[in-house]
Amino acid sequence: MSDDGLDPVIHVPARLRIVVTLAALHDGDTLSFARLRDLIGLTPGNLITHLRKLEDIEYVTTEKTGAGPTAQTSVMLTHTGRAALDHYTTVLRQLLDTASHANHDARPNPRGER
Amino acid sequence: MNTGIDTNGGSDVEDETTMDLQGAAAIVQHTRERARHELEVNYPLLYLAWGLTLLICYGVLWLSVRTQHPYHGLLRTGVGGVIALVGFFSLVIRLGVVGRAMTGVGGHSARQWAIFFAALAAGSTVLFIQAAAVSHAGASRPVTGVLIAAAPMLSLGLVFLASSAVGLNWFSLALGLWLLGVAAVGMWTGPVTILAVYALAGGGGFLLTAAIQSWRRRS
């Protein structure tokens, strides 16, 4: 965890988009590499790199079926990954609330100015 | 555990840009909305397509037999036209509505949809075979006509009713019960009026469900 409590693996734009996209699927569903790439808008190379990082900490699993030109890779968000995203969004919401209150408190009081 | 990913061409520079809290929240919201829009089946559109299929197909069949006195059976042109329409709408539903959301999606949901369409096809086929067998055994044309007309409606009702148990979908449950009720009531109206009842009440049930779901989505 980073100092602010946000998961540093997810707290990267590309990986956040990957995890949120996969979380939109029902539990146990997989998404093909090609469709994920189209939805996220990353190059294949970039997507592979980010998926590897997510695989290393078991947030996603990938499975390759078939061989040659018909080979297909599918990606699935694990329970660990789903829980990590839930925790990430909860912490993010709390941090935004805290920041919002801090800004509100820091604003000069109009009565005090008179 | 990096099995499965083809690393060929993976030479791009990875983007490790960090972001502020507002940026992260915006990414979460935007990506979630886009993923839902792309990956979730548009149920109002699905029910609209089902409703139009029933309305038009049963309507065409009714128009082809409504002037028959006495009733001597469905006309071949009417049946042929309906089969073509059912094929067309099935393709629209399978590819246009469900297929769009399910492209690239595997696992549990894909299997559920495959079983749903297989159950519908198998149920209708068996009920059509039953009508043919009853006709072969000597049943009159009006009796056979009623059984043929009821086959898709019964099949749809039972499949929607059974599928409602999978995800406790109350819309499917209500629709399944409605379709079975329409199927049962329609059978008492005779081989001609049954087609009009199924077109209006069966198709109308789907169209009403589509309207309610669309309204719920927006509110």
Side-chain angles (χ1 to χ4, degrees):
Chain A
M1 285 301 147
S2 60
D3 292 344
D4 50 16
L6 289 170
D7 187 333
V9 179
I10 298 182
H11 194 59
V12 170
R15 287 200 286 273
L16 183 57
R17 286 203 297 271
I18 292 170
V19 175
V20 171
T21 300
L22 292 173
L25 296 170
H26 292 284
D27 214 8
D29 281 356
T30 63
L31 193 62
S32 72
F33 183 85
R35 184 89 198 269
L36 181 62
R37 186 196 59 210
D38 291 346
L39 286 171
I40 304 293
L42 288 176
T43 62
N46 253 335
L47 182 55
I48 288 167
T49 309
H50 288 297
L51 282 176
R52 276 186 173 170
K53 294 212 165 163
L54 292 168
E55 251 197 318
D56 286 343
I57 51 164
E58 298 181 356
Y59 283 1
V60 302
T61 57
T62 62
E63 190 185 4
K64 192 172 185 176
T65 51
T70 57
Q72 261 207 338
T73 300
S74 52
V75 187
M76 187 178 85
L77 189 67
T78 62
H79 289 296
T80 312
R82 203 173 280 273
L85 178 64
D86 286 344
H87 184 255
Y88 176 88
T89 51
T90 305
V91 172
L92 181 62
R93 211 173 298 127
Q94 285 169 351
L95 289 171
L96 283 167
D97 283 347
T98 309
S100 167
H101 286 131
N103 282 343
H104 187 262
D105 293 343
R107 226 175 283 157
N109 185 344
R111 283 182 188 170
E113 283 180 343
R114 279 178 204 157
Chain B
M1 199 176 79
N2 287 325
T3 54
I5 297 177
D6 184 359
T7 53
N8 293 336
S11 57
D12 297 2
V13 178
E14 61 176 313
D15 178 17
E16 288 285 353
T17 317
T18 52
M19 53 196 163
D20 60 15
L21 298 178
Q22 281 81 8
I27 286 175
V28 170
Q29 191 187 347
H30 176 259
T31 308
R32 193 171 276 162
E33 282 170 7
R34 180 171 155 77
R36 279 183 183 158
H37 179 257
E38 293 288 330
L39 296 170
E40 283 185 4
V41 173
N42 187 337
Y43 281 96
L45 194 59
L46 183 67
Y47 288 126
L48 178 71
W50 280 115
L52 289 176
T53 305
L54 291 186
L55 194 64
I56 294 171
C57 293
Y58 275 116
V60 167
L61 282 177
W62 177 71
L63 288 173
S64 76
V65 297
R66 74 193 166 102
T67 53
Q68 289 183 12
H69 300 291
Y71 177 81
H72 54 266
L74 296 167
L75 298 177
R76 279 185 186 172
T77 48
V79 174
V82 165
I83 290 171
L85 280 170
V86 168
F88 171 73
F89 277 110
S90 300
L91 210 63
V92 168
I93 290 167
R94 186 72 188 87
L95 300 178
V97 185
V98 179
R100 181 181 165 275
M102 296 302 289
T103 300
V105 177
H108 195 63
S109 297
R111 280 193 290 275
Q112 269 184 337
W113 278 109
I115 291 169
F116 178 87
F117 283 108
L120 206 52
S124 297
T125 305
V126 168
L127 288 169
F128 280 131
I129 290 170
Q130 183 195 41
V134 168
S135 172
H136 182 70
S140 64
R141 284 185 171 181
V143 170
T144 309
V146 166
L147 290 176
I148 288 174
M153 194 61 69
L154 283 170
S155 181
L156 268 173
L158 286 170
V159 171
F160 268 94
L161 198 61
S163 66
S164 70
V166 176
L168 283 182
N169 186 328
W170 302 110
F171 276 101
S172 285
L173 178 70
L175 192 59
L177 287 171
W178 172 255
L179 293 174
L180 287 178
V182 169
V185 170
M187 281 188 269
W188 290 91
T189 62
V192 176
T193 312
I194 187 175
L195 298 167
V197 171
Y198 286 1
L200 296 174
F206 274 105
L207 295 179
L208 183 66
T209 309
I212 293 170
Q213 288 223 342
S214 180
W215 173 74
R216 276 172 57 103
R217 253 189 166 191
R218 273 192 240 117
S219 61

